[in-house]
């Protein structure tokens, strides 16, 4: 069994900070679950154009307000506490945060740990691992 807290994960090097967001990666590929699980903060005012060509992602909004635009179909959906979106078609999208947003995110295949977005707004399939200290 694996038991971790957000606080120990943050202090233990699992917190990745990038442009417009930060994410604490609580479960990763090396945990062997078949998915990764992250608690992500999207900073207020961020507008992220993303396209996870190599991954499926679902995102559950725990707090904050924003919207997601599907760039293929043009639809825009409000995102607030209690809403989940799933990028089941590797959908190219823009996520806009009107306030700071706290999200629970799951990736399949699981992330290795240190991924940040490439120029296409995707994560590469290979990246540096995060490991707990022995
Ligand atoms: C919602 C989203 O994709 N945000 C970017 C960060 C990502 N959730 C991650 O790497 O944890």
């Amino acid at each position: 069994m694996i038991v971790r807290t957000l606080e120990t994960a943050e202090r233990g090097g699992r917190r990745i900070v990038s442009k417009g967001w930060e994410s604490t990666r609580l479960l990763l590929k090396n945990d062997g679950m078949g998915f990764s699980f992250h608690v992500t903060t999207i900073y207020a005012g961020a507008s992220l154009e993303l396209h996870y060509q190599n991954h499926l992602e679902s995102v559950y909004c725990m707090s904050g307000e924003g919207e997601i635009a599907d760039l293929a179909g043009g639809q825009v959906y409000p995102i607030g506490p209690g809403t989940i979106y799933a990028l089941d078609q590797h959908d190219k999208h823009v996520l806009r945060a009107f306030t700071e947003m706290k999200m629970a995110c799951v990736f399949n295949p699981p992330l290795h740990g240190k991924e940040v977005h490439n120029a296409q707004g995707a994560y590469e399939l290979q990246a540096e691992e995060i490991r707990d200290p022995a």
Side-chain angles (χ1 to χ4, degrees):
M1 188 183 296
I2 300 164
V3 179
R4 294 189 179 118
T5 69
L6 188 59
E7 194 195 343
T8 56
E10 283 170 356
R11 283 195 272 110
R14 291 175 172 274
R15 177 170 169 259
I16 302 297
V17 179
S18 190
K19 194 164 182 283
W21 59 272
E22 62 177 75
S23 188
T24 300
R25 295 176 170 165
L26 288 159
L27 292 172
L28 287 164
K29 181 178 168 64
N30 57 23
D31 291 308
M33 296 295 291
F35 58 85
S36 58
F37 182 92
H38 320 163
V39 171
T40 297
T41 303
I42 312 291
Y43 302 148
S47 177
L48 307 176
E49 185 169 327
L50 302 172
H51 191 193
Y52 291 117
Q53 296 163 70
N54 302 317
H55 297 84
L56 299 171
E57 185 197 25
S58 39
V59 179
Y60 176 77
C61 180
M62 297 183 287
S63 66
E65 299 292 337
E67 66 182 17
I68 185 168
D70 177 342
L71 292 181
Q75 305 95 323
V76 179
Y77 304 93
I79 303 293
T83 301
I84 191 168
Y85 65 86
L87 303 168
D88 62 325
Q89 306 296 318
H90 301 276
D91 314 74
K92 190 173 183 183
H93 62 285
V94 180
L95 178 64
R96 300 186 190 99
F98 303 144
T99 66
E100 178 180 284
M101 302 173 84
K102 295 275 184 194
M103 317 289 243
C105 309
V106 172
F107 278 78
N108 168 24
L111 299 199
H112 296 253
K114 297 276 196 179
E115 288 88 345
V116 290
H117 299 115
N118 66 18
Q120 284 74 47
Y123 292 145
E124 304 292 344
L125 279 172
Q126 297 302 328
E128 189 185 339
E129 265 185 63
I130 295 173
R131 287 196 162 276
D132 282 343

